[in-house]
């Protein structure tokens, strides 16, 4: 379903720095309904890979396919068609500061043209799943780090996308919440979604027992079917 | 489609009402811009009034020899009246001229005494007004070639020519500089308003990129900003209209002392509909066009 073909991403130098090689000649495939974890130290290139899939960044070399479509041949005005099929949990949440929890979560469904009833039903449901019913009308700045992260998760799930990209979705959560979120991701996966999880949390990887791709300095050093976190 | 439109409008309204500080700043700048456009409009009214009242004062007088019969003069008057460039012709007989003279100098002892000695030295005349200062030359040409030429003692166009030409050049300069000045001011004002909106949108660039990343189409992103710009523009137009109505109501009597016969409040009320349309057009147009231009570069993510 998703295929990275010899991807290299080099960031041009800023005024005094050197060029940064974020990803170097990376190739792998993710099948439909697969659960893949991408692990590595921070700076290993995990987030860059996800950005390349979302067409947020362009590769320096290589191609990324989503369902046989070359992601970087899509016109910017049509990116939304691709992105609606992917639910992304961003590392820095990327919530709308001027929208309440409810509005943040509902936004994706609104842009897709869902009916009001459908939206309010789904929002209620997702709020319960992430345990934020009491925070429905708060703005992001009134929420704690963990709560914001859960809003971000709820927003990525609400429209039941085919693919979930989770970039460090548990970075700000305590161990109890972390387990809840992982269970949630597993449940979504069971319901038929493809999940790509980028993390550096050793415990999570070891609990999951799913495919693990290990990145180091932009290169894949391991790709194991039932991987463990090894460094 | 309809549901998207509803959502875009609601979202624009929420953005407007939640970012009060920013909305107020935008409205404030727009009020300044629209006020400027409105004042230019009013300034045009004032300058047109000034120009026409200046031109109103210009005329030429044709003096007839003392022996000329009144009938001949009246006949000539009829013929002059037929010239399309002529606005009106007034006949001043010797007696009327004397009455006016006495009226004007009745307090001057010396003049009155000498007048009593000489009798009536004044000549009958026709005062001719043309529609425009440049048309007097046609009238004098007619007089010089007409069969009445030998009845005429003098035409004072030649004495007044420099003044008439001067007025003509002043009025056209006022018009030209007025237009140039208005254009420059309008451009400056529009640039300031545009920049304010650009900064407001720059503030939201993160939000715009997130909208793109979660799958919003360009129109769904642009829409609320356009609505927000339009609301600001509409509010600014309304506020400006209220300010001007109030200010002119109190200012008008004072201005009327300076420019007798010109009531700026009435002229403002008279063109209220057109003015409000111009204001709304400026406000909403500025808001919408600035938003479209400013948002463009953030829609590439």
């Amino acid at each position: 379903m998703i295929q990275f073909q010899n991807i290299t991403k080099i960031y041009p130098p800023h005024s005094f720095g050197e060029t940064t090689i974020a990803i170097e000649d990376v190739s792998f495939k993710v099948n439909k309904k697969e659960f893949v974890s991408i692990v590595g130290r921070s700076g290993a290139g995990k987030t860059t890979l996800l950005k390349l899939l979302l067409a947020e960044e362009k590769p320096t070399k290589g191609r990324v396919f989503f369902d046989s479509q070359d992601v970087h041949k899509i016109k910017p005005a049509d990116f939304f068609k691709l992105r609606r099929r992917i639910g992304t949990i961003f590392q820095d949440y990327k919530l709308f500061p001027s929208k309440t929890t409810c509005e943040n979560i509902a936004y994706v469904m609104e842009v897709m043209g869902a009916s009001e009833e459908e939206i309010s039903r789904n929002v209620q449901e997702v709020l319960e799943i992430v345990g934020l019913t009491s925070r429905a009308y708060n703005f992001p700045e009134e929420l704690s780090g963990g709560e914001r992260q859960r809003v971000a998760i709820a927003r990525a799930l609400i429209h039941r996308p085919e693919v979930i990209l989770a970039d460090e979705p548990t970075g700000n959560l305590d161990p109890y919440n972390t387990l809840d979120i992982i269970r949630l991701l597993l449940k979504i996966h069971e319901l038929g979604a493809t999940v790509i999880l980028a993390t550096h949390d050793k415990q999570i990887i070891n609990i999951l027992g799913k495919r693990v791709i290990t990145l180091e300095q932009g290169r894949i050093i391991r790709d194991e079917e039932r991987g463990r976190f090894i460094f | 489609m309809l549901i998207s439109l509803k959502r875009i409008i609601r979202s624009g309204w929420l953005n407007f009402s939640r970012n009060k500080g920013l909305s107020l700043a935008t409205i404030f700048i727009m009020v300044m811009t629209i006020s400027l456009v409105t004042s230019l409009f009013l300034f045009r009214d004032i300058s047109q009034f000034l120009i026409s009242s200046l031109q109103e004062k210009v005329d030429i007088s044709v003096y007839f020899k003392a022996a000329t019969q009144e009938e001949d003069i009246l006949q000539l008057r009829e013929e002059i009246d037929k010239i399309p460039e002529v606005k009106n012709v007034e006949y001043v007989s010797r007696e009327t001229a004397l009455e006016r003279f006495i009226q004007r100098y009745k307090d001057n002892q010396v003049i009155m005494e000498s007048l009593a000695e000489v009798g009536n030295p004044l000549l009958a005349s026709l005062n001719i007004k043309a529609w425009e200062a440049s048309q007097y030359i046609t009238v004098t040409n007619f007089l010089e070639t007409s069969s009445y030429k030998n009845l005429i003692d003098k035409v004072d166009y030649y004495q007044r020519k420099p003044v008439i030409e001067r007025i003509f050049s002043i009025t056209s300069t006022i018009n030209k500089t007025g237009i140039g000045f208005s254009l420059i001011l309008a451009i400056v004002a529009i640039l300031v308003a545009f920049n304010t909106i650009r900064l407001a949108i720059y503030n939201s660039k993160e939000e715009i990129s997130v909208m793109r990343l979660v799958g919003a189409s360009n129109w769904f992103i642009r829409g609320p900003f356009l609505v927000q710009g339009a609301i600001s523009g509409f509010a600014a137009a309304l506020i400006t209209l209220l300010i001007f109505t109030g200010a002119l109501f109190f200012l008008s009597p004072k201005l009327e002392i300076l420019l007798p016969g010109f009531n700026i409040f009435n002229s403002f009320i008279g063109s209220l509909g057109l003015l409000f349309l111009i204001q709304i057009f400026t406000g909403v147009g500025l808001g919408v066009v600035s938003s479209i231009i400013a948002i463009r570069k953030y829609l590439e993510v």
Side-chain angles (χ1 to χ4, degrees):
Chain A
M1 182 183 200
I2 295 165
Q3 193 180 0
F4 284 76
Q5 258 181 17
N6 308 99
I7 289 289
T8 299
K9 174 70 187 173
I10 301 170
Y11 287 104
H14 288 289
S15 41
F16 295 108
E18 295 170 9
T19 52
T20 317
I21 302 173
I23 301 284
E24 201 179 346
D25 198 25
V26 163
S27 300
F28 67 92
K29 258 190 195 174
V30 176
N31 294 320
K32 212 167 186 152
K33 300 185 182 177
E34 204 176 357
F35 193 121
V36 181
S37 304
I38 299 173
V39 301
R41 293 196 176 90
S42 59
K46 304 183 294 279
T47 303
T48 308
L49 273 184
L50 301 189
K51 282 185 173 173
L52 286 164
L53 178 56
L54 271 179
E56 194 182 346
E57 295 277 3
K58 274 200 162 90
T60 314
K61 246 192 267 167
R63 298 203 283 179
V64 181
F65 289 96
F66 188 101
D67 260 359
S68 76
Q69 164 142 52
D70 188 338
V71 166
H72 299 97
K73 288 217 167 111
I74 302 174
K75 277 186 263 155
D78 289 332
F79 282 167
F80 70 94
K81 291 178 189 156
L82 166 77
R83 289 168 178 168
R84 285 179 186 179
R85 298 173 66 186
I86 304 173
T88 311
I89 304 162
F90 298 97
Q91 197 172 7
D92 52 353
Y93 325 133
K94 295 201 191 293
L95 300 179
F96 300 114
S98 58
K99 291 190 194 300
T100 63
T101 301
C102 252
E103 290 165 355
N104 260 290
I105 298 174
Y107 187 77
V108 182
M109 293 200 78
E110 281 183 2
V111 301
M112 290 172 76
S115 71
E116 294 293 330
E117 302 84 57
E118 199 184 342
I119 292 177
S120 78
R121 203 175 49 235
N122 281 15
V123 169
Q124 274 311 317
E125 209 176 313
V126 173
L127 278 175
E128 273 169 34
I129 292 174
V130 296
L132 281 175
T133 314
S134 62
R135 296 299 209 180
Y137 299 104
N138 287 90
F139 288 94
E141 60 171 19
E142 298 161 354
L143 303 174
S144 72
E147 284 168 334
R148 285 181 208 173
Q149 190 140 37
R150 282 185 277 157
V151 178
I153 293 167
R155 183 179 64 184
L157 306 182
I158 190 164
H159 58 300
R160 301 199 175 96
E162 297 161 56
V163 178
I164 300 269
L165 299 185
D167 193 2
E168 304 282 7
T170 56
N172 269 302
L173 301 181
D174 53 44
Y176 304 106
N177 280 321
T178 300
L179 275 180
D180 282 345
I181 295 306
I182 295 306
R183 274 192 212 115
L184 188 60
L185 285 177
L186 282 170
K187 196 175 169 197
I188 297 163
H189 173 237
E190 272 166 29
L191 290 172
T194 309
V195 179
I196 300 179
L197 167 71
T199 184
H200 59 251
D201 190 324
K202 186 176 171 182
Q203 209 193 347
I204 295 175
I205 300 303
N206 293 343
I207 293 170
L208 281 172
K210 304 254 180 208
R211 180 179 170 198
V212 175
I213 295 172
T214 311
L215 283 179
E216 197 174 273
Q217 291 180 335
R219 288 173 163 274
I220 295 183
I221 54 165
R222 255 191 302 278
D223 185 350
E224 296 167 318
E225 249 345 283
R226 286 181 68 81
R228 292 182 63 78
F229 193 94
I230 312 163
F231 264 110
Chain B
M1 185 69 198
L2 203 67
I3 199 159
S4 290
L5 195 68
K6 210 177 93 189
R7 281 175 186 155
I8 284 172
I9 294 172
R10 193 185 59 195
S11 175
W13 168 250
L14 283 180
N15 287 352
F16 176 82
S17 58
R18 281 180 186 164
N19 300 318
K20 284 195 186 68
L22 204 63
S23 303
L24 278 178
T26 315
I27 291 180
F28 179 72
I29 295 290
M30 281 190 165
V31 165
M32 308 283 261
T33 312
I34 301 172
S35 297
L36 207 99
V37 174
T38 314
S39 345
L40 293 175
F41 200 78
L42 290 175
F43 172 75
R44 209 200 50 175
D45 269 4
I46 295 179
S47 74
Q48 263 174 6
F49 175 80
L50 268 177
I51 289 168
S52 66
S53 65
L54 268 181
Q55 285 182 342
E56 195 67 357
K57 292 202 169 74
V58 175
D59 60 3
I60 54 173
S61 301
V62 184
Y63 295 96
F64 296 89
K65 291 179 179 149
T68 317
Q69 296 294 310
E70 194 170 49
E71 291 145 35
D72 293 335
I73 300 177
L74 289 175
Q75 230 165 22
L76 174 62
R77 182 180 132 167
E78 259 169 47
E79 288 204 17
I80 293 176
D81 233 353
K82 284 181 198 148
I83 307 174
E85 283 89 351
V86 170
K87 196 173 161 193
N88 71 47
V89 191
E90 186 200 11
Y91 169 58
V92 181
S93 64
R94 293 187 64 195
E95 293 71 31
T96 328
L98 183 66
E99 263 168 44
R100 287 187 187 169
F101 187 83
I102 294 174
Q103 193 62 32
R104 190 188 280 180
Y105 295 105
K106 63 183 175 209
D107 299 327
N108 192 324
Q109 205 65 42
V110 185
I111 292 182
M112 284 300 118
E113 276 169 18
S114 38
L115 191 67
E117 272 174 38
V118 207
N120 184 358
L122 299 170
L123 298 173
S125 65
L126 283 177
N127 291 336
I128 305 167
K129 273 198 170 74
W131 295 102
E132 274 174 35
S134 56
Q135 290 164 341
Y136 286 106
I137 190 83
T138 325
V139 180
T140 48
N141 283 345
F142 166 80
L143 290 171
E144 271 171 18
T145 51
S146 77
S147 50
Y148 298 92
K149 195 184 163 199
N150 39 15
L151 298 179
I152 296 171
D153 182 66
K154 64 171 183 189
V155 178
D156 74 352
Y157 173 68
Y158 300 103
Q159 286 102 12
R160 292 198 196 174
K161 200 176 168 204
V163 180
I164 291 174
E165 276 173 357
R166 186 96 186 276
I167 287 175
F168 184 58
S169 94
I170 287 175
T171 52
S172 85
T173 317
I174 288 180
N175 264 339
K176 274 185 207 145
T177 42
I179 291 169
F181 199 58
S182 319
L183 270 179
I184 292 170
L185 277 182
I187 289 170
V188 169
I190 285 169
L191 283 180
V192 170
F194 168 65
N195 251 341
T196 314
I197 291 172
R198 217 171 59 125
L199 285 177
I201 287 181
Y202 177 79
N203 229 14
S204 313
K205 70 170 184 174
E206 282 291 316
E207 210 158 320
I208 293 170
S209 75
V210 180
M211 288 172 179
R212 294 270 302 155
L213 288 177
V214 299
S217 64
N218 281 353
W219 272 109
F220 208 91
I221 299 172
R222 222 181 263 140
F225 285 98
L226 302 193
V227 172
Q228 205 178 342
I231 295 175
S232 302
F234 187 77
L238 259 178
I239 293 172
T240 316
L241 193 77
L242 287 179
I243 293 176
F244 268 80
T245 313
L248 290 181
F249 181 74
F250 290 107
L251 214 75
S252 182
K254 294 193 174 98
L255 201 70
E256 211 169 350
I257 299 171
L258 283 177
L259 299 170
F262 182 67
N263 187 319
I264 193 158
F265 185 69
N266 286 346
S267 119
F268 173 71
I269 295 293
S271 48
L272 196 67
L274 179 67
L275 258 178
F276 192 53
L277 265 182
I278 291 177
Q279 290 178 334
I280 295 267
F281 186 77
T282 317
V284 175
L286 250 179
V288 169
V289 174
S290 311
S291 302
I292 289 182
I293 297 174
I295 208 167
R296 214 176 35 182
K297 77 171 184 211
Y298 303 122
L299 289 178
E300 314 233 309
V301 183

